[in-house]
Amino acid sequence: SSSSTSTLLKFFDRTSHLANEMLSRYLVDFIVSDHFTTPSAKLPTCYSLAGKKGIWLVMRVDWYVLSIAVLEDDDDSEGIQDDEQPNRRLSFFTAGIIDLYKSDGDFAEADSTTCDEENFGVCTLVDIIQHAHARKYSLSCFHALQKDVLPMSSVDVDFVEDPLTFHEVLNVLVELDDISSHLNDNTSTITGTKLGSVIERLLGVVPGSNASMFFYKGHKVGEGLATSEGSDVSQAPIFFKFMLDSRLASMEDILALQKTVTVTALVSNFGVSDDLSPCHLEAVERLERSL
């Protein structure tokens, strides 16, 4: 018997070639790593089968179940609006091979260990891959923005943030006379411009975030970290947010400082842990020294 199933994975827009290449590579590297629950291997040749072209893999779902999977190269427009980031389809073609390798006495034991769902348990693999994909999406976005080879026009910021939590790491009191009654809310000030310049030397604005999320552009985090699942904190992307008196602030808000405020910096991490990697700590320390 056999079955086929597929899932859609969010990618970046067509102009973000580097980010899309990174995301494909990071995701495939995870699937063929020891950290994926199912023994898998990447097929060395680019195959085209059933009209599908992309990165092909073989997975041993169970002792008597094999699945051939393909992460397609082309975007899937199903259900996507013009202003949304595209998806790519990951398809599985799965077959049970118990009839070829089992004796009659083995059937009872195999039936108790093989998934009894129509897709042979591939849904479990899909859940694991989707969880990993969310993290790889954030990493790919971060690494592509750092490289700044082909600038990204926009990203799905909600999806970038989905696997992340932000932790308060820095508080700075900026004192100045209240001039808010003399200026419009969005009018830049000397103090705000100076603070904005300090931030821009170390951080860049994430496109599509309304200038309220920033990526660390200083130390280039090694891409090898992206494929290592051993420690979440060692591979988390380094994004920052800022708050002015406990209110989320954009760069426009920072440039328009008009009275004394407490500036709070928050840095990203995977999960709820506030244990930061050395790279995160370096970024925080550099920011603290500059403010």
Side-chain angles (χ1 to χ4, degrees):
S1 60
S2 64
S3 71
S4 64
T5 187
S6 66
T7 186
L8 294 174
L9 301 173
K10 187 175 292 294
F11 270 70
F12 302 92
D13 61 58
R14 293 178 181 271
T15 62
S16 303
H17 302 295
L18 180 61
N20 283 326
E21 289 175 5
M22 287 180 169
L23 180 52
S24 292
R25 175 157 52 90
Y26 294 172
L27 192 58
V28 170
D29 285 351
F30 165 75
I31 292 173
V32 300
S33 74
D34 292 337
H35 302 286
F36 189 50
T37 57
T38 297
S40 305
K42 179 181 175 183
L43 296 175
T45 306
C46 183
Y47 292 96
S48 180
L49 180 66
K52 299 179 183 295
K53 184 177 180 181
I55 303 173
W56 290 83
L57 305 109
V58 58
M59 305 178 185
R60 192 181 72 188
V61 182
D62 206 338
W63 283 105
Y64 303 104
V65 178
L66 290 179
S67 186
I68 301 295
V70 56
L71 177 59
E72 297 183 33
D73 290 337
D74 297 327
D75 295 339
D76 191 305
S77 59
E78 180 180 322
I80 296 296
Q81 304 298 320
D82 291 339
D83 59 343
E84 292 182 323
Q85 302 295 305
N87 294 319
R88 293 188 184 180
R89 190 173 294 275
L90 177 63
S91 300
F92 299 83
F93 304 93
T94 309
I97 53 176
I98 56 176
D99 292 337
L100 298 177
Y101 298 101
K102 293 175 59 180
S103 64
D104 291 343
D106 293 329
F107 276 95
E109 181 179 351
D111 289 343
S112 65
T113 58
T114 303
C115 181
D116 59 0
E117 298 180 15
E118 291 183 0
N119 59 12
F120 300 96
V122 171
C123 278
T124 301
L125 302 185
V126 170
D127 289 343
I128 295 171
I129 291 172
Q130 287 177 332
H131 176 77
H133 166 261
R135 296 190 171 200
K136 304 309 179 189
Y137 188 93
S138 289
L139 284 166
S140 302
C141 176
F142 173 60
H143 288 150
L145 288 169
Q146 273 203 322
K147 284 184 175 294
D148 197 29
V149 176
L150 296 171
M152 302 172 69
S153 58
S154 182
V155 300
D156 188 329
V157 175
D158 290 339
F159 206 83
V160 171
E161 287 190 54
D162 185 59
L164 302 174
T165 54
F166 282 82
H167 303 268
E168 183 178 316
V169 290
L170 187 61
N171 285 287
V172 176
L173 180 66
V174 178
E175 295 185 284
L176 68 159
D177 294 333
D178 191 340
I179 55 175
S180 57
S181 60
H182 306 290
L183 300 172
N184 294 327
D185 290 343
N186 59 352
T187 301
S188 297
T189 63
I190 294 176
T191 301
T193 301
K194 288 181 178 178
L195 179 59
S197 296
V198 169
I199 292 172
E200 287 177 337
R201 282 199 293 270
L202 294 175
L203 309 177
V205 173
V206 176
S209 68
N210 294 320
S212 61
M213 190 163 79
F214 305 79
F215 67 95
Y216 179 51
K217 59 184 182 181
H219 174 69
K220 296 294 187 291
V221 177
E223 289 182 37
L225 294 175
T227 59
S228 171
E229 294 289 325
S231 174
D232 285 342
V233 296
S234 69
Q235 61 158 346
I238 307 175
F239 292 112
F240 280 89
K241 290 184 178 183
F242 292 94
M243 303 183 76
L244 301 179
D245 288 340
S246 302
R247 181 176 60 87
L248 182 65
S250 66
M251 179 56 82
E252 184 179 82
D253 297 327
I254 293 169
L255 295 175
L257 286 184
Q258 298 174 4
K259 61 182 180 179
T260 297
V261 295
T262 298
V263 180
T264 302
L266 303 96
V267 72
S268 63
N269 206 355
F270 282 145
V272 298
S273 174
D274 56 3
D275 293 330
L276 300 178
S277 73
C279 291
H280 284 71
L281 293 174
E282 175 191 318
V284 172
E285 289 170 1
R286 289 188 65 188
L287 182 60
E288 185 176 17
R289 288 197 301 267
S290 300
L291 294 177

